[in-house]
């Protein structure tokens, strides 16, 4: 739901239902990083009601488009985080498997390290 | 004459100053942007400078660019067990890290017991207390294989797991403790029959049952390999004295932590920023010994400089709990600076057992992506 004016579409307030700080703070962060944005913020009108108002003011571009771009950027960031995390976990598991094999082959005693998968 | 004087005056540019590197912030502003200074009374510079034009007057571009983020972002796994994981995320902001934490705690679905049909309970544990305790028992099953059960749906093999608990303490035998391994999985659905109050119903009508399983859950290959059981077999559910009996059936459904904490898949998930301990001046000899003994987690170490002189060094800044013991007392604030790095997060996730912790984090990131996508589709 967008509350804006018909004449000026560079400022608008977007009201999202069933949302809370989880997505609002993340979107506000990506909006702030966008150089086209002059003002952005979010508020929760009442804590018992799951509704978030996100206010966007831009330097001329339509606010709707800027918000969409911010969400796209957040999605791309999430994808990148996921790929990097998966790769890091795989590398860790592989390096631990190598370490476990080395320990077994050397038959070292007094193994005090925690065994991790 | 004025023009002559103007031409002779050198044009002064801030970039000509020798100590301001080109394209970067001066060191004190970089400190303010990237570190939280933890002083004796309170931390300062805790907000993250997100605004894209924040340093525009310096000529620094603070805006985001995906390539810069991709290059700077790193994940390093420190510890990975079956039940918990500790990893570092470097190059991300607190807003995103907090979103992941909130999703891990409240919005990842799991299976937990919701409906308990009690046929017989003569123990001293009240029905509702027993049902509450059963709901909190973690179940070792992948929730992604199940669907949500809404009010209009019938409970079937795709959205319900049925457990049975039938324990009896015989007269003359000692008191027994009912543990969670007494919960038996019923892959074919509920065995109880609904009571019909209609006295005129003929015996040929089919009795109503509680669940409508089309096929046995045992036919799913995943459950043949890993039958559905509670994750920990030694959770005490109730205690029975002689002559007491509990007979009940428990139905588990899918839900999220927001509705009730029993559906939260993590024991807890938390993050902290990497602590940075900096010695502002050289600390030697007696002062060094004093500093080393002050710290309860042994962050500092002594190194020998030779000729009997010793110096303090920071050996394990990661272990620092920011207890601020090292800056208590006179003058210590001038010698030791406690800081936190704003974009380096040490995440710890402890899973209750439904899913391994690395899968939990991946699912949490996927859920954030889904939320963004929902917002995008609503906007277009």
């Amino acid at each position: 739901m967008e509350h804006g004016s018909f004449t000026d579409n560079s400022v608008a307030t977007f009201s999202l239902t069933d949302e809370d700080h989880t997505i609002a703070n993340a979107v506000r962060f990506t909006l702030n990083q966008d150089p086209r944005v002059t003002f952005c913020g979010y508020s929760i009108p009442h804590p018992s009601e799951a509704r978030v108002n996100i206010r966007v003011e831009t330097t001329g571009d339509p606010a709707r488009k800027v918000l969409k771009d911010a969400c796209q950027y957040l999605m791309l960031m999430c994808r990148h985080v996921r790929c990097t995390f998966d790769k890091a976990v795989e590398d860790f598991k592989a390096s631990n498997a190598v370490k476990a094999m080395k320990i077994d082959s050397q038959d070292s005693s007094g193994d005090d390290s925690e065994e991790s998968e | 004459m004025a023009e002559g004087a103007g031409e002779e005056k050198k044009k002064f540019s801030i970039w000509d100053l020798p100590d301001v590197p080109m394209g970067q912030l001066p060191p004190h502003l970089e400190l303010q942007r990237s570190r939280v200074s933890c002083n004796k009374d309170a931390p300062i510079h805790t907000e993250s400078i997100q605004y894209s034009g924040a340093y525009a007057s310096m000529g620094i571009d603070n805006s985001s660019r995906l390539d810069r983020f991709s290059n700077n972002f790193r994940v390093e796994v420190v510890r990975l067990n079956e039940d918990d994981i500790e990893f570092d995320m470097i190059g991300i902001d607190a807003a995103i890290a907090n979103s992941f934490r909130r999703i891990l705690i409240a919005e990842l679905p799991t299976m937990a017991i919701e409906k308990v049909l009690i046929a017989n309970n003569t123990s001293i544990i009240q029905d509702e207390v027993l049902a509450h305790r059963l709901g909190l028992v973690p179940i070792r099953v992948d929730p992604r294989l199940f669907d949500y059960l809404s009010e209009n749906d019938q409970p079937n093999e795709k959205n319900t797991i049925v457990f049975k608990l039938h324990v009896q303490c015989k007269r003359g035998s000692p008191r027994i403790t009912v543990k969670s391994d007494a919960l038996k999985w019923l892959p074919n659905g509920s065995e109880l029959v609904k009571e019909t109050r209609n006295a005129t119903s003929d015996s040929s009508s089919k009795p109503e049952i509680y669940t409508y399983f089309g096929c046995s859950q045992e036919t799913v290959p995943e459950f043949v390999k890993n039958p559905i059981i509670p994750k920990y077999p030694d959770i005490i559910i109730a205690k029975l004295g002689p002559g007491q009996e509990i007979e009940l059936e428990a139905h588990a459904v899918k839900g999220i932590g927001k509705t009730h904490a029993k559906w939260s898949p993590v024991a807890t998930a938390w993050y902290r920023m990497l602590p940075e301990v900096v010695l502002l001046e050289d600390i030697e000899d007696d002062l060094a010994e004093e500093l080393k003994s002050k710290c309860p987690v042994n962050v500092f170490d002594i190194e020998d400089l030779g000729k009997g002189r010793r110096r303090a060094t920071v050996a394990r800044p990661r272990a620092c709990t920011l207890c601020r013991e090292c800056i208590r007392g006179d003058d210590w604030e001038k010698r030791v600076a406690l800081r936190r790095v704003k974009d380096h997060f040490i995440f710890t996730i402890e899973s209750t057992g439904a899913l391994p912790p690395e899968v939990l984090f991946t699912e949490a990131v996927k859920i954030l992506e889904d939320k963004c996508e929902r917002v995008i589709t609503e906007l277009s």
Side-chain angles (χ1 to χ4, degrees):
Chain A
M1 214 196 308
E2 178 182 353
H3 300 285
S5 84
F6 289 116
T7 46
D8 184 9
N9 62 352
S10 73
V11 306
T13 304
F14 298 91
S15 188
L16 305 173
T17 46
D18 282 339
E19 297 292 353
D20 58 356
H21 302 277
T22 309
I23 184 140
N25 201 17
V27 165
R28 183 194 60 91
F29 167 71
T30 47
L31 270 174
N32 244 326
Q33 302 266 297
D34 194 333
R36 299 175 285 179
V37 165
T38 56
F39 176 84
C40 72
Y42 79 92
S43 74
I44 302 201
H46 195 280
S48 306
E49 185 192 354
R51 179 182 287 270
V52 165
N53 292 344
I54 303 183
R55 172 94 181 153
V56 184
E57 289 182 14
T58 70
T59 52
D61 286 10
R64 185 179 277 252
K65 183 163 184 322
V66 171
L67 183 64
K68 228 171 26 155
D69 288 346
C71 290
Q72 297 271 24
Y73 182 71
L74 185 60
M75 269 180 73
L76 290 173
M77 269 199 347
C78 287
R79 275 202 202 121
H80 182 76
V81 167
R82 206 158 27 112
C83 292
T84 320
F85 179 75
D86 285 339
K87 217 165 76 65
V89 167
E90 268 177 38
D91 289 345
F92 182 80
K93 284 187 183 166
S95 77
N96 262 33
V98 166
K99 249 194 270 177
M101 284 197 314
K102 274 205 206 140
I103 290 178
D104 287 340
S105 67
Q106 284 174 12
D107 269 347
S108 64
S109 57
D111 181 16
D112 57 346
S113 65
E114 306 159 15
E115 280 311 311
S116 36
E117 303 269 349
Chain B
M1 12 129 221
E3 283 167 20
E7 274 167 26
E8 278 167 16
K9 237 197 312 199
K10 251 194 342 192
K11 287 229 177 79
F12 176 71
S13 160
I14 192 168
W15 304 116
D16 291 342
L17 288 176
D19 57 347
V20 177
M22 183 67 175
Q24 285 174 33
L25 287 174
H28 65 284
L29 282 185
E30 184 65 28
L31 188 73
Q32 199 181 29
R33 186 183 75 91
S34 67
R35 301 285 191 273
V36 175
S37 304
C38 302
N39 298 337
K40 197 154 63 166
D41 41 1
I44 52 175
H45 307 313
T46 53
E47 69 285 348
S48 47
I49 313 277
Q50 301 164 0
Y51 182 49
S52 58
Y55 298 112
S57 55
M58 304 280 314
I60 310 289
D61 181 15
N62 198 24
S63 75
S64 65
R65 250 176 301 147
L66 199 59
D67 47 356
R68 229 181 10 178
F69 171 73
S70 312
N71 290 341
N72 293 344
F73 181 67
R74 275 188 353 250
V75 171
E76 286 165 11
V77 180
V78 170
R79 193 183 68 222
L80 175 59
N81 299 331
E82 194 189 319
D83 286 333
D84 59 29
I85 183 174
E86 183 181 334
F87 62 97
D88 286 15
M89 283 216 286
I90 305 158
I92 201 173
D93 189 72
I96 320 281
N98 195 33
S99 295
F100 292 149
R101 184 193 64 92
R102 285 174 68 98
I103 294 179
L104 277 164
I105 294 179
E107 303 196 33
L108 276 181
T110 18
M111 306 293 292
I113 291 175
E114 166 84 352
K115 270 207 177 79
V116 178
L117 308 169
I118 302 186
N120 190 0
N121 178 18
T122 45
S123 74
I124 53 168
I125 314 286
Q126 298 92 338
D127 286 351
E128 60 271 15
V129 175
L130 189 57
H132 180 245
R133 289 177 73 84
L134 282 171
L136 295 172
V137 169
I139 302 175
R140 198 187 68 182
V141 63
D142 189 344
R144 297 173 289 188
L145 301 168
F146 287 87
D147 306 327
Y148 285 99
L149 171 67
S150 68
E151 282 164 16
N152 310 328
D153 292 342
Q154 278 184 351
N156 56 26
E157 71 275 8
K158 287 252 175 308
N159 52 34
T160 314
I161 305 177
V162 180
F163 291 96
K164 179 170 125 139
L165 179 65
H166 188 177
V167 196
Q168 203 178 18
C169 184
K170 304 247 182 315
R171 283 200 182 280
S173 65
R175 280 184 287 220
I176 57 173
T177 307
V178 180
K179 299 208 171 153
S180 53
D181 56 0
L183 278 168
K184 300 272 173 291
W185 175 39
L186 298 178
N188 289 323
S190 167
E191 291 170 356
L192 295 181
V193 169
K194 272 193 196 163
E195 274 186 19
T196 47
R197 297 194 173 270
N198 207 346
T200 59
S201 68
D202 33 322
S203 50
S204 61
S205 65
K206 268 176 76 168
E208 271 194 33
I209 49 175
Y210 285 102
T211 59
Y212 301 88
F213 273 42
C215 61
S216 167
Q217 279 173 335
E218 257 170 351
T219 54
V220 179
E222 176 65 34
F223 299 148
V224 173
K225 266 190 304 173
N226 308 320
I228 301 180
I229 51 167
K231 167 80 179 174
Y232 301 101
D234 52 355
I235 299 177
I236 299 179
I237 299 180
K239 292 196 180 185
L240 293 178
Q244 295 176 351
E245 184 183 354
I246 296 181
E247 185 180 351
L248 55 81
E249 225 180 59
H251 296 190
V253 296
K254 189 168 167 176
I256 56 174
K258 250 199 224 181
T259 326
H260 192 283
K262 68 187 177 193
W263 276 301
S264 181
V266 291
T268 188
W270 75 92
Y271 64 80
R272 59 187 181 113
M273 291 195 267
L274 181 75
E276 191 184 48
V277 183
V278 173
L279 296 174
L280 297 172
E281 41 180 59
D282 272 342
I283 302 187
E284 302 198 345
D285 299 335
D286 290 333
L287 278 182
E289 293 285 343
E290 192 186 335
L291 184 62
K292 180 164 184 239
S293 58
K294 265 201 204 189
C295 183
V297 286
N298 297 329
V299 168
F300 301 101
D301 253 347
I302 307 280
E303 67 167 337
D304 277 323
L305 290 176
K307 293 190 214 162
R309 288 172 52 221
R310 304 170 312 255
R311 193 173 59 180
T313 55
V314 181
R316 285 162 293 271
R318 199 185 157 100
C320 179
T321 56
L322 285 193
C323 64
R324 293 180 171 83
E325 266 300 309
C326 42
I327 51 176
R328 202 146 68 99
D330 313 319
D331 292 340
W332 277 105
E333 271 213 8
K334 292 193 306 220
R335 298 184 196 126
V336 182
L338 291 177
R339 300 189 196 131
R340 283 205 193 265
V341 184
K342 276 190 205 172
D343 61 353
H344 186 137
F345 292 96
I346 304 175
F347 248 95
T348 315
I349 302 176
E350 292 177 4
S351 160
T352 49
L355 287 170
E358 64 270 13
V359 174
L360 279 177
F361 185 74
T362 316
E363 292 292 314
V365 180
K366 275 196 212 160
I367 288 189
L368 187 59
E369 281 178 36
D370 289 340
K371 280 181 183 262
C372 289
E373 208 168 304
R374 223 176 29 181
V375 175
I376 292 178
T377 46
E378 264 194 41
L379 283 177
S380 14

